[in-house]
Amino acid sequence: MLTSPHQRQIGSYQLVTPASSDPVTVDEMKLHSRLDTIPEGDSYMSALISAATTAAIQITGRALLTETWALTLDAWPGYGFGRDVWWDGMREGPISMISSGVVEIRKAPFLDISDVSTVNEDGTTTSFASSNWYTFNESGFGKLRLRTGQVWPVMVPPIRAAGGIKITFTAGYGT
């Protein structure tokens, strides 16, 4: 897909706390495969489990076990997308993230948001009170929405122009 050079990045995801284990143990794999031992040993089976887990995560884009993630944004939804730069009529990303007061969290299955903060140029953060927003699930993805009468924090210095918003959340099917 061709994209406009004027498009802004919608957001980037960073894994903060990975899952504490693989979703399948070596013993579970042995039971399922009906093998008690293999010449290569348990370390080989463990490597196969890790490789399969990594492939499943990359293919599906899902968090298999509970993980903590950070979503970094340059602007709040509805601000900066087509207002600060010339808009050629094309934008990539969900419509709701571009034009409404909803931030979509595209990591499934979404569980909860633990923090919404702005990041200053010196790296210090200021939390945006949870009484100003709420979350909900839609098709496994999370959505962050302002409560009626609330407004997003103003994105002026000392808040970073790029990467000035950080949303910390959890996703996954459990432990």
Side-chain angles (χ1 to χ4, degrees):
M1 173 181 210
L2 295 175
T3 59
S4 165
H6 303 288
Q7 286 180 321
R8 300 178 105 185
Q9 181 178 348
I10 299 292
S12 63
Y13 292 86
Q14 178 182 6
L15 181 61
V16 176
T17 307
S20 58
S21 65
D22 284 324
V24 177
T25 66
V26 171
D27 289 339
E28 290 169 332
M29 183 176 172
K30 285 179 183 179
L31 182 63
H32 180 74
S33 63
R34 297 187 179 99
L35 294 172
D36 290 330
T37 60
I38 59 169
E40 292 85 357
D42 287 357
S43 61
Y44 177 71
M45 287 184 136
S46 182
L48 290 175
I49 292 168
S50 292
T53 300
T54 300
I57 289 169
Q58 289 176 346
I59 291 167
T60 65
R62 292 181 167 262
L64 300 181
L65 298 176
T66 302
E67 301 173 328
T68 303
W69 288 82
L71 169 60
T72 303
L73 302 171
D74 294 343
W76 296 109
Y79 297 95
F81 300 105
R83 294 184 182 179
D84 297 332
V85 295
W86 181 75
W87 184 39
D88 66 358
M90 295 182 65
R91 290 288 178 266
E92 185 175 326
I95 296 298
S96 62
M97 188 154 176
I98 295 170
S99 62
S100 73
V102 176
V103 175
E104 289 193 4
I105 299 176
R106 305 291 297 170
K107 180 60 76 174
F110 170 78
L111 296 174
D112 194 22
I113 291 178
S114 58
D115 186 53
V116 177
S117 299
T118 55
V119 183
N120 289 343
E121 291 170 353
D122 64 2
T124 59
T125 60
T126 303
S127 287
F128 184 48
S130 60
S131 59
N132 295 321
W133 50 267
Y134 63 94
T135 63
F136 59 99
N137 255 323
E138 189 172 283
S139 301
F141 296 111
K143 295 199 176 211
L144 167 69
R145 185 170 190 89
L146 280 174
R147 292 193 185 276
T148 303
Q150 302 301 319
V151 294
W152 297 116
V154 178
M155 300 298 293
V156 296
I159 297 174
R160 290 180 182 169
I165 302 164
K166 184 177 179 183
I167 300 168
T168 305
F169 66 95
T170 54
Y173 290 99
T175 54

